[in-house]
Amino acid sequence: MSGKKRSRVRIGKRLRCHRCGCYAPRDLTSRAAENWNGKWEDGRLVFVLCPPCQTPLENAEAEANDAELAVARADGGQFLPDPVLCITGTLEDPGTVLYGRDHLQRISTAGQAETVCLVPQLPADTRCVPIAGGVMLYLPSQQTAP
């Protein structure tokens, strides 16, 4: 849950720690929520863990995810949470699916697409890189030279 941005993120139902049941801070971007960890599945927060309930492995995994996001953003990436489809081209002239083929499979099997974010009309040189909880989108104008 940690992050440097302080924009307010509130949810309808107040979350509780999955293990001990204590309440999570109402504002998940607040300083009080910095060390809480969450598990995301299919673009939804399925549970959270308060700092005392986290194992050292869970804490290390969260720190690694934060570092990976910070590096990707510094390289010009934009984070999009799963489930997301990144597609080049236009509706009239479709291109290729850069990311989200598994989401397309899930849609065709379940017939439900309500939770999927569609990012169409991306330039051909766009790069989409899977990352914990979503994808990093690198538009051609934002990519740094290797």
Side-chain angles (χ1 to χ4, degrees):
M1 295 275 185
S2 65
K4 300 299 178 203
K5 291 186 179 180
R6 293 283 178 235
S7 61
R8 298 183 69 142
V9 175
R10 293 188 182 269
I11 51 174
K13 183 179 176 186
R14 189 149 178 216
L15 297 174
R16 297 179 93 156
C17 176
H18 185 69
R19 295 196 177 125
C20 73
C22 72
Y23 283 102
R26 288 188 190 277
D27 181 357
L28 298 178
T29 58
S30 69
R31 198 166 287 286
E34 274 186 353
N35 294 317
W36 281 69
N37 284 335
K39 170 86 171 155
W40 293 84
E41 290 179 0
D42 297 330
R44 296 174 192 225
L45 187 61
V46 292
F47 70 81
V48 295
L49 294 174
C50 68
C53 287
Q54 297 169 38
T55 66
L57 181 60
E58 289 165 336
N59 193 20
E61 183 179 310
E63 291 296 324
N65 290 342
D66 278 349
E68 185 178 13
L69 279 171
V71 168
R73 285 187 177 123
D75 285 342
Q78 176 187 352
F79 178 75
L80 301 173
D82 272 337
V84 62
L85 295 174
C86 299
I87 303 172
T88 63
T90 64
L91 294 176
E92 297 79 29
D93 183 24
T96 54
V97 176
L98 299 175
Y99 178 78
R101 286 180 178 84
D102 58 327
H103 304 310
L104 282 174
Q105 178 68 31
R106 198 164 45 235
I107 290 167
S108 67
T109 302
Q112 293 181 328
E114 297 85 27
T115 61
V116 177
C117 174
L118 176 63
V119 186
Q121 303 178 350
L122 295 170
D125 293 339
T126 301
R127 211 168 35 101
C128 292
V129 180
I131 193 168
V135 64
M136 290 304 292
L137 177 69
Y138 296 92
L139 296 172
S141 62
Q142 297 172 333
Q143 295 184 43
T144 57

